Amino acid sequence: MYEFFLRATGLREMKDDISAIQSKVDSMERMIESENIKIKDFELKAAEAEKEYKTCEHIQDLDNKLLKTRKMLLWSKVGEFEEELSELESNLEKVSKRKEQYSQQLAQQGEIDQKSLNRKMKDQMTGKLKKLVDLKNQLTQEVESKRETLRSTTDHVMRIMPRPEGKFPSRTKLVRKKQALQKQLEREKRKHGDFFTAEAAYDKAVEDLKEANEDLRLSRELLEKEKEIYKDRRENWKDSRSDLQTLVNLHFNCILTRQGYYGQLVFDDKEKELTIEAIPAHQEETAVTKALSEGEKSFTIIAFILAFSDLSLFDAPFRAMDVFDIFMDSVNWKISMGLLIKQASSPNPRNQYIFLTPQDINGIPRQSNIRIHKLAAVDRGQQYISFPSNRDA
């Protein structure tokens, strides 16, 4: 009975929809649990990648130190050029001074009487002066060449690294430092791998964790929305169930009171049970349908069914009742048929009623909207069913 009430009022379909939402909520909760497990895996991978990345930061520091040492070697080369140029300029200055001294000495000798001048000494001084002039010219060319080399080298190195302050370390010391850093860097790379590879792995692990957390956040938002929908639907369903129970009970009692009956429908939502209670006109105490006579029971059941029909909750175009009156006495049968015919005669062209009864139907009134079909009497000795031949058809 309770299930009939749910199906007749459409509450069963609503309940099924709510159950589908509940199943969806359960599925989403399981999915979120699975995502939480995945996030833990992503967090573990991210932690391992971060650890490896921080370890490889030491490798990057070594690489940076090696690069800086190489750049310092370039400036060290510039420093060597500067020292060489300074030495050349110093030598050129010395040669220039000596040349000036010899030139002055020759000029002084020129003022002395040519007869008294030592010819041999004059030739020696002239030869030295010539050598000094040649040496000066050579040094001047070397200084200009060294300056050009220093200028181009300095410009090149400046594009790589600004000139450091202070005095440059010796080139020998820088070479030893470079070799030591290279060996240490090679050892660390063999042990921990490349820094950029570790950095890329760490970035990917962080991005995967971020995406997983975002997916989890969206899933939780959807879950909360589904829970709200489920809660609203369930509350609406409970309200609808309560309203329909009240309406059905009211219509049921109205149908009973037309014939002097009184009764009610008792709904036990917890146990999913529906009890029909009725008081026939000749009784004073309420009785369930099991305590009624067969005729009273059938009439009560018809009143129960009509209570739903009056609410127009059935949307089927055909409504049929089969041998509903098999145990009815003539009084209850007449009352029940009157109620059914009255219900079927209501102006509703969408519905058609079909009543199958073994009772005598001679008392049913002849109306334009009522069509009566009588079946032939059953031949108890019939052995087979005769069908018309094609020729007869």
Side-chain angles (χ1 to χ4, degrees), residues 173-311:
K173 184 177 180 181
L174 288 173
V175 169
R176 287 199 299 267
K177 183 178 180 181
K178 173 188 170 184
Q179 293 173 350
L181 286 172
Q182 284 179 332
K183 291 180 181 180
Q184 186 179 0
L185 186 61
E186 289 174 359
R187 287 196 304 269
E188 293 295 331
K189 284 186 176 181
R190 285 195 299 268
K191 185 177 180 181
H192 300 288
D194 184 71
F195 169 78
F196 296 103
T197 302
E199 184 181 30
Y202 173 66
D203 291 341
K204 184 178 184 304
V206 171
E207 186 64 24
D208 291 342
L209 179 59
K210 182 179 178 181
E211 290 180 1
N213 281 319
E214 180 64 16
D215 292 341
L216 179 61
R217 183 186 67 81
L218 294 176
S219 297
R220 284 175 174 170
E221 288 182 358
L222 291 175
L223 176 60
E224 292 303 318
K225 291 180 180 178
E226 288 295 331
K227 285 183 176 181
E228 290 178 3
I229 293 173
Y230 172 77
K231 183 179 178 181
D232 293 341
R233 293 279 185 90
R234 185 168 178 81
E235 292 299 323
N236 292 336
W237 183 82
K238 288 182 178 180
D239 293 340
S240 299
R241 181 182 64 182
S242 178
D243 294 341
L244 288 171
Q245 288 174 353
T246 302
L247 287 173
V248 171
N249 216 335
L250 179 62
H251 281 270
F252 173 71
N253 195 42
C254 288
I255 295 172
L256 290 181
T257 54
R258 293 174 190 174
Q259 305 302 324
Y261 281 59
Y262 298 95
Q264 64 176 348
L265 302 176
V266 180
F267 294 89
D268 187 347
D269 297 323
K270 184 177 180 180
E271 298 296 332
K272 304 295 186 296
E273 293 180 355
L274 190 158
T275 304
I276 301 176
E277 295 181 353
I279 305 176
H282 61 277
Q283 292 185 7
E284 295 181 357
E285 295 181 356
T286 302
V288 295
T289 54
K290 292 181 179 179
L292 299 174
S293 66
E294 294 299 332
E296 293 169 342
K297 184 187 298 183
S298 298
F299 171 73
T300 303
I301 296 300
I302 289 175
F304 172 72
I305 295 174
L306 289 177
F308 291 93
S309 181
D310 283 348
L311 292 174

Side-chain angles (χ1 to χ4, degrees), residues 32-49:
I32 288 176
E33 290 179 0
S34 177
E35 289 181 356
N36 281 323
I37 295 174
K38 290 182 179 179
I39 285 178
K40 290 181 180 179
D41 293 337
F42 282 129
E43 288 176 345
L44 181 60
K45 291 179 180 179
E48 293 176 351

Side-chain angles (χ1 to χ4, degrees), residues 293-303 305-306 319-329 332-341 353-361 364:
S293 66
E294 294 299 332
E296 293 169 342
K297 184 187 298 183
S298 298
F299 171 73
T300 303
I301 296 300
I302 289 175
I305 295 174
L306 289 177
R319 303 177 181 183
M321 297 182 68
D322 184 15
V323 292
F324 57 92
D325 54 355
I326 188 170
F327 296 113
M328 279 189 182
D329 55 81
N332 283 307
W333 183 84
K334 184 176 181 180
I335 295 172
S336 299
M337 287 304 299
L339 290 172
L340 292 172
I341 291 173
Y353 291 81
I354 301 172
F355 303 120
L356 302 180
T357 175
Q359 304 290 350
D360 183 8
I361 58 175
I364 295 177

Side-chain angles (χ1 to χ4, degrees), residues 109-119 122:
Q109 290 293 337
E111 296 175 357
I112 303 174
D113 185 5
Q114 296 292 330
K115 294 180 180 181
S116 60
L117 180 64
N118 188 336
R119 190 75 181 180
K122 182 179 179 181

